[in-house]
Amino acid sequence: MPPLLTAPRPPAHDAGRRLPAGLLRDLDHPAQLFENLGPNWYASVMGTGIVATAAAGLPVRVPGLHTAATFVWALAAAWLVVLTAAWAVHWTRHRDRARAHAGHPVMAHFWGAPAMALLTVGAGALTLGQDWLGRPTAVAIDVSLWSAGTLLGLVTAVWIPYRAMTGHATAPDAAFGGWLMPVVPPMVSAATGAALVPHTAAGQPRLTLLLACYAMFGISLLASLVIITQIWARLMHHKVGPAAMTPTLWIVVGPLGQSVTAADLLGAAAHSALPRPYATGAEVFGFLYGVPVWGFAMMWLALAAALTRRTARRGLPFSLTWWSFTFPVGTCVTGTSALALRLHSTPLAALAVALFALLLTAWVTVALRTARAAARGALFA
């Protein structure tokens, strides 16, 4: 198992230890907080932000849920700012280690997480933040974060696979869910960009944005299908593999659920940019594509849950890969909710609520475990 994703090392008890027992007790010095801060930390922003946006899009109304979701979005936004500041320190003080992450055969793929963190928080600003910030400010924040996240996501979708193809040593059993991380951001851009279509100037600017979102939908979808096939083949021929990597199997659900969400939201936005019959066709595509792919996402969700349960019986060490239990499930919530609202389906609405309960349980569990391990310093060692 590559050292960057293994379980935290045991605390050092050397004579030069500067920290008393308690807070950050697994570190030899507080400066180690920034030494190993990889891009995989941004998965915690993704996992927190998706809880808020998934709650806002549920096909049922629960008193107080919108307010609670807004607080969770604010938490994700604040954590994004703190984490980005810490990552800036990491790049300033430990530039060689930061650059080495891109050359690492496992960690490199998590370079997709910063882009998706920006996109998730930006989407929440428009969906939830406008209650506090006002619509013009919320739109401006979303446009800024969407633009930055989209640009970074398009870079990682090419750069990281290129690095893997030309530089990384790849074993026959190397395929894992993390391979999807650098190619999923364009799908998140497609889904979140749909909300910006009505806020874009009518005519060519609005049409260009819509077409760009559909193009990014295709980039991510086709690349994800190639990688998912490789993951399936690895599972069949080489089995599950190291326990610490098992949570990444849930990442497969991410592009599936997000593509269902994107197809539906882009179909709804198409009427403001496309003439007939293309606008109607785009809306119909949201249904004809969404339901079959949603079915496969549910199958993989069940498969990932079964494999995780099997691994947990033998021991499932905590690491940041546990955040894979959150964002992918959140995309299933948003996709299911979108279909339920579009088709007026009561069963799909009930399933959306059930999936949100699963998401909330996973988020609370992983967030508490992360906070506890971070307080000890174990995740930074």
Side-chain angles (χ1 to χ4, degrees), residues 275-289:
R276 293 181 179 181
Y278 306 109
T280 302
E283 192 168 8
V284 172
F285 174 75
F287 160 67
L288 294 180
Y289 170 88

Side-chain angles (χ1 to χ4, degrees), residues 75-231:
L75 176 63
W79 180 228
L80 174 63
V81 173
V82 171
L83 186 56
T84 301
W87 210 33
V89 174
H90 169 70
W91 270 90
T92 301
R93 296 183 180 178
H94 308 283
R95 189 175 298 274
D96 290 341
R97 175 59 64 90
R99 288 175 174 173
H101 287 157
H104 192 277
V106 173
M107 183 62 77
H109 298 282
F110 289 92
W111 256 97
M116 288 187 280
L118 293 171
L119 293 166
T120 304
V121 172
L126 187 58
T127 305
L128 297 161
Q130 63 177 300
D131 295 341
W132 293 354
L133 304 170
R135 181 177 291 271
T137 302
V139 170
I141 292 174
D142 191 14
V143 168
S144 298
L145 293 180
W146 185 86
S147 300
T150 296
L151 178 61
L152 180 57
L154 290 172
V155 170
T156 65
V158 177
W159 172 46
I160 298 302
Y162 173 81
R163 290 294 299 268
M165 293 171 185
T166 60
H168 296 169
T170 305
D173 62 345
F176 77 113
W179 280 16
L180 289 163
M181 291 292 289
V183 301
V184 174
M187 185 65 77
V188 182
S189 291
T192 56
L196 291 174
V197 170
H199 298 283
T200 305
Q204 287 299 313
R206 187 175 296 178
L207 175 62
T208 300
L209 176 58
L210 183 69
L211 294 179
C213 287
Y214 271 111
M216 289 186 287
F217 178 96
I219 290 171
S220 185
L221 175 64
L222 297 179
S224 295
L225 291 177
V226 171
I227 295 170
I228 292 171
T229 302
Q230 293 175 303
I231 295 171

Side-chain angles (χ1 to χ4, degrees), residues 280-346:
T280 302
E283 192 168 8
V284 172
F285 174 75
F287 160 67
L288 294 180
Y289 170 88
V291 175
V293 174
W294 177 87
F296 181 65
M298 293 301 101
M299 188 209 76
W300 192 280
L301 189 69
L303 183 61
L307 292 172
T308 301
R309 181 181 179 184
R310 178 178 180 272
T311 302
R313 289 175 177 174
R314 303 177 181 183
L316 184 60
F318 176 75
S319 69
L320 288 176
T321 59
W322 278 38
W323 282 99
S324 303
F325 297 139
T326 58
F327 187 84
V329 176
T331 67
C332 288
V333 177
T334 57
T336 307
S337 296
L339 288 174
L341 290 169
R342 177 71 54 195
L343 304 175
H344 306 286
S345 170
T346 300

